[in-house]
């Protein structure tokens, strides 16, 4: 059965693939699984019909037969659970790949996401610059440790896994900040993830959806 995921009807990221449907799309592409996308407006996210699928009124969700899932990490893990390139078969290696997925979401992402929120919602506050400095220091502490662990390797633990997929998805949020420039090995790691054909397909699909929504919402020029 073809799964259906949800995504923003017009993502506020401007088609940069930064919303959380992106790791889900990427995982589906890596798994060679066809999928459909249901696009939702911001008001529709908060309707009871969507909250029945996602209690917090957010994207993404995943529906396949009688399974409904929310939380991008849980969805990626579910997709990765099938035989395929996202989780190694050997139990210990598999457990370590899952640990990296949690590290991406639970340890690296919090300060990265904090930075995005700060920039969007608190830019006008008198303490903005000071707080940005603090958040950046927390990001650097995480990236120092991550770069140290990655070393010269291509991926975090042997072959590419769902852990790398989620870590790259999180680190991509830092592109606009320039912070990754201080970490050439992490920048190369992100570029390796973004060069994967499955990433490209996922990225192009979300960009095409964004472009189509933009065309639809742009009034025609006056005759
Ligand atoms: N923990 C949940 C998960 O991982 O699935 C979090 C889901 C989540 O944060 N969803 C966001 C959402 O639906 C979209 S991805 N927000 C609407 C709402 O809460 O009302 C977060 C996001 C949004 C926008 C950008 N951007 O513009 O760059 C990037 C990321």
């Amino acid at each position: 059965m073809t799964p259906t995921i949800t995504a923003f009807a017009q993502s506020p990221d401007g088609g940069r693939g930064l919303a959380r449907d992106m790791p889900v799309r990427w995982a589906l592409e890596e798994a060679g699984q066809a999928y459909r996308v249901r696009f939702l407006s911001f008001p529709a996210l908060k309707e009871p019909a969507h909250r029945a699928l996602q209690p917090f009124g957010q994207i993404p969700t995943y529906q396949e037969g009688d399974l409904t899932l929310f939380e991008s990490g849980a969805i990626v893990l579910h997709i990765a659970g099938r035989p395929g390139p996202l989780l190694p078969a050997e139990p210990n290696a598999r457990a370590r790949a899952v640990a990296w997925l949690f590290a991406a979401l639970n340890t690296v992402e919090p300060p990265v996401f904090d930075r995005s929120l700060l920039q969007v919602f608190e830019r006008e506050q008198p303490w903005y610059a000071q707080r940005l400095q603090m958040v950046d220091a927390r990001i650097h502490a995480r990236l120092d440790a991550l770069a140290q662990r990655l070393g010269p390797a291509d991926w975090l633990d042997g072959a590419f896994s769902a852990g790398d997929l989620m870590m790259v998805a999180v680190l991509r949020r830092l592109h606009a900040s320039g912070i990754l420039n201080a970490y050439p090995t992490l920048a190369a790691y992100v570029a390796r993830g973004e060069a994967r054909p499955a990433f490209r397909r996922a990225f192009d699909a979300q960009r095409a959806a964004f472009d189509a929504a933009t065309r639809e919402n742009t009034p025609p020029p006056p005759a």
Side-chain angles (χ1 to χ4, degrees):
M1 180 164 289
T2 304
T4 299
I5 66 167
T6 49
F8 285 132
Q10 191 167 18
S11 180
D13 68 7
R16 288 176 296 154
L18 299 178
R20 293 175 203 260
D21 57 304
M22 184 61 202
V24 172
R25 289 172 180 271
W26 184 6
L28 286 161
E29 294 287 354
E30 292 283 355
Q33 170 68 62
Y35 61 99
R36 295 193 184 89
V37 185
R38 200 155 49 76
F39 295 100
L40 294 169
S41 65
F42 275 95
L45 287 178
K46 308 304 175 197
E47 293 290 331
H50 185 65
R51 281 193 195 269
L53 310 179
Q54 216 291 5
F56 307 104
Q58 298 184 309
I59 60 104
T61 57
Y62 175 100
Q63 289 171 281
E64 185 178 22
D66 55 10
L67 173 68
T68 298
L69 275 180
F70 62 99
E71 285 298 329
S72 54
I75 298 171
V76 167
L77 262 186
H78 173 71
I79 297 163
R82 301 169 186 167
L86 287 172
L87 284 179
E90 196 278 311
N92 286 358
R94 196 176 179 90
R96 289 195 304 272
V98 171
W100 278 116
L101 182 144
F102 276 90
L105 291 175
N106 254 2
T107 304
V108 177
E109 189 185 71
V112 172
F113 195 57
D114 214 11
R115 190 179 204 278
S116 308
L117 293 179
L118 186 63
Q119 291 201 302
V120 174
F121 297 114
E122 293 165 338
R123 200 178 265 279
E124 304 308 323
Q125 298 297 331
W127 36 259
Y128 171 76
Q130 203 182 354
R131 176 139 160 70
L132 184 63
Q133 216 174 17
M134 271 172 49
V135 172
D136 280 355
R138 286 169 53 218
I139 293 174
H140 279 291
R142 294 303 188 220
L143 298 190
D144 288 347
L146 190 65
Q148 175 82 26
R149 172 56 78 100
L150 180 66
D154 278 356
W155 306 113
L156 287 165
D157 193 317
F160 174 82
S161 77
D164 294 297
L165 183 153
M166 199 55 89
M167 192 64 82
V168 169
V170 167
L171 295 179
R172 290 188 66 245
R173 292 242 179 98
L174 291 172
H175 272 323
S177 72
I179 289 177
L180 285 176
N181 296 339
Y183 300 90
T185 57
L186 292 183
Y189 170 69
V190 172
R192 257 190 307 282
E194 291 176 333
R196 290 180 70 84
F199 176 93
R200 296 292 351 146
R201 289 193 295 275
F203 183 88
D204 291 348
Q206 65 75 37
R207 171 59 68 84
F210 177 82
D211 289 345
T214 306
R215 275 194 303 277
E216 216 168 277
N217 295 331
T218 306

